[in-house]
Amino acid sequence: MAIVTTDHAVPHTSTVPANAGEPVQLFVRERNGTPPGQPRRPVLALHGRSVPVLAGFDLQHESYSWAAALAHAGYDVFMMDLQGSGRSPRPMMDDPHNVSPAQQALLTPRPPGFVPGPPTYPFQLTNSYSDRDELDTVVEFIRAECGVDQVDFIGWSAAAFTMGPYAVNNPDKVASLFLLAPIFPPLGTSSPPPTLPLPGFPTFVGGKTGFDAGWAAEAPCEGQRAPGIVDAAWDGIMENDLIGSTWGPLTGLNRIRNFVRWGWNAATAAQDGVLGGSVPLLIAYGEHDRQVNTSPPNPNVELNFSVPALYEAVAGSHKVMVKLACAGHSLVWEMQHKNVHNLSKHWLKHRSVDGQTQGVFDMNTEGDITPAP
C-alpha cells in the first residue's frame, strides 16, 4: 500500500522567551500508512537534543526510516521538530555570535567575515515550559486531524524530558509511551529556575569529525555501523540545517539548541502511578550507550543518568525494559535498527514484549528476546 507523505506547518503561539507571543509554525511530517477504510492510529515521534527528527526517524537511506517501517505496518506516523531544531523556527540561532563562545573558533573558514564575539542574545534558548507547550499543540493537531482521543508516543534520547512529564500530566491524550535511549536524571531538579530565560547563549555546534568519533566510541561490535552510514546520517542532519551546513568546514556544523529543563526525575516517573498504569511504558537502550548510563557517577546530579533507575522509579506495573546487544546511543542507524522497528511495531499492536507486560529483557542482534539474568 502506498504511503502518503505530508509536511505540515502547525500554527502555534510561541512561549520560547526569545519570540514569546509570536505566531510560529512548527514543522511536522506525516507518513500515513492507514489502510483504506480503516481508522487512523497516530504515532508521534520526537527527537532528542542534537538530531533533527527527520534525520533520526525518517532517514532516506536503505532501510533506516523508522517512520516508513511503521507506516508500512498500518500506522499514521507524525514527526515533529521543536523550536531550535530541524525545520521548525530557530529564533536567535542564525546569528553565529549566539554560538557558545567556547566554540566560536569552529566557525572557520565559514561564515565569511565572521569575527568571534559575545552573544547578541545572552540567554539559553528553550525550556521545559516551551517544549511541552509545543508538544501539546502538535498533539491537539493530531487528535483533530485523525479524529482520535489518544496518540502513541515514541521519543529518542532527550525527548524523554518532554514526553515523560507530558504523559504523566496528560494521560487522557497519550495511549502509550516508547522511550528509546531515554535520558533520565533520577535526582534531577523538579522546579524551574527563579527567572527565565536563563543567562547563557542559544546555540552549541558540533562537527562531523566529533559526531563520528563519539559514535565510534559506542560501537565496538563488528558490523555495528554499516559502510556509508556515518555519511548518510550526517548528510541527513545537514539537510535539516540549511544555515549550519554553511558554517565551519565544508561538511558543515550541526546547530544544537541550548535548553534548560526540569521536572523529569524519580518523583515525576512515579507520579500518580500514571507511567506503567494508564500509560503503558516500553524502555529500550543499547548495551554500549555511554550517554544514558553515567559511569562513574557525575557529582552534578542533573547530569547523572540511569535507564534502570527510570524502570525502577515507574510506579505502575505495565512497564517493560529491553537492553539491545551491540548497540549504542545512535542505534537508530546501527545494525539493530530493524529490530528496533519490529520491537516498536509489536509494542504498538500488543502493548507487550515477548508476551509480557512487565519485566526486563535482553535482545540479541538476531532480534531474539530473553529475560535478563
Side-chain angles (χ1 to χ4, degrees):
M1 191 196 76
I3 296 173
V4 179
T5 301
T6 308
D7 286 350
H8 301 279
V10 178
H12 175 73
T13 300
S14 181
T15 54
V16 173
N19 60 353
E22 296 180 11
V24 298
Q25 294 181 326
L26 302 174
F27 174 81
V28 176
R29 172 167 292 177
E30 177 185 3
R31 301 266 268 160
N32 188 353
T34 305
Q38 296 297 311
R40 293 161 80 175
R41 176 79 182 276
V43 178
L44 175 58
L46 181 63
H47 59 85
R49 171 179 174 267
S50 61
V51 177
V53 74
L54 297 187
F57 284 90
D58 200 21
L59 187 69
Q60 300 302 297
H61 180 72
E62 298 178 355
S63 59
Y64 290 90
S65 173
W66 192 350
L70 291 178
H72 280 298
Y75 295 95
D76 193 355
V77 186
F78 294 81
M79 297 163 277
M80 71 171 291
D81 278 320
L82 295 166
Q83 285 196 84
S85 184
R87 303 189 184 192
S88 282
R90 299 195 189 210
M92 304 299 171
M93 292 179 69
D94 291 352
D95 184 348
H97 288 102
N98 286 329
V99 171
S100 165
Q103 293 186 307
Q104 289 186 18
L106 298 175
L107 278 70
T108 54
R110 306 179 302 167
F114 170 68
V115 177
T120 59
Y121 181 79
F123 302 100
Q124 296 188 35
L125 186 63
T126 62
N127 57 64
S128 291
Y129 286 146
S130 61
D131 285 355
R132 293 171 201 167
D133 289 344
E134 291 170 19
L135 178 60
D136 187 61
T137 289
V138 173
V139 168
E140 290 301 317
F141 167 78
I142 294 170
R143 285 176 9 127
E145 183 81 3
C146 297
V148 299
D149 292 327
Q150 293 185 313
V151 180
D152 287 284
F153 278 6
I154 297 179
W156 179 23
S157 187
F161 282 109
T162 305
M163 283 185 154
Y166 183 89
V168 168
N169 292 314
N170 298 275
D172 56 321
K173 300 180 184 181
V174 183
S176 73
L177 179 59
F178 178 5
L179 294 179
L180 181 69
I183 305 294
F184 180 71
L187 300 178
T189 183
S190 294
S191 303
T195 59
L196 289 170
L198 205 63
F201 49 85
T203 314
F204 292 101
V205 292
K208 184 178 181 181
T209 299
F211 171 77
D212 183 8
W215 183 1
E218 296 184 346
C221 298
E222 183 178 356
Q224 188 171 334
R225 301 196 299 177
I229 189 58
V230 174
D231 292 337
W234 183 256
D235 290 347
I237 293 171
M238 289 296 94
E239 287 168 7
N240 290 279
D241 191 349
L242 298 181
I243 300 297
S245 62
T246 68
W247 285 1
L250 293 179
T251 50
L253 292 172
N254 180 23
R255 294 182 300 159
I256 303 165
R257 66 197 183 110
N258 191 5
F259 67 102
V260 57
R261 73 286 189 283
W262 60 85
W264 179 233
N265 50 36
T268 308
Q271 185 178 318
D272 300 326
V274 171
L275 295 185
S278 56
V279 180
L281 173 66
L282 170 59
I283 305 164
Y285 70 103
E287 67 168 329
H288 299 299
D289 190 338
R290 299 179 180 180
Q291 299 183 49
V292 298
N293 291 310
T294 308
S295 182
N298 194 308
N300 181 348
V301 296
E302 297 295 327
L303 300 176
N304 206 22
F305 306 136
S306 171
V307 176
L310 171 58
Y311 181 82
E312 292 300 325
V314 169
S317 60
H318 197 157
K319 59 177 183 177
V320 186
M321 183 168 68
V322 180
K323 181 170 69 175
L324 291 88
C326 284
H329 197 68
S330 299
L331 68 175
V332 296
W333 304 313
E334 295 180 353
M335 67 160 68
Q336 286 274 36
H337 72 278
K338 287 186 180 181
N339 290 332
V340 171
H341 299 172
N342 291 334
L343 181 67
S344 66
K345 286 185 284 187
H346 186 89
W347 171 256
L348 290 169
K349 184 176 182 179
H350 300 289
R351 299 282 193 266
S352 67
V353 170
D354 200 33
Q356 303 299 311
T357 58
Q358 184 177 19
V360 179
F361 300 86
D362 292 329
M363 176 185 283
N364 66 19
T365 56
E366 300 301 316
D368 301 320
I369 296 174
T370 56

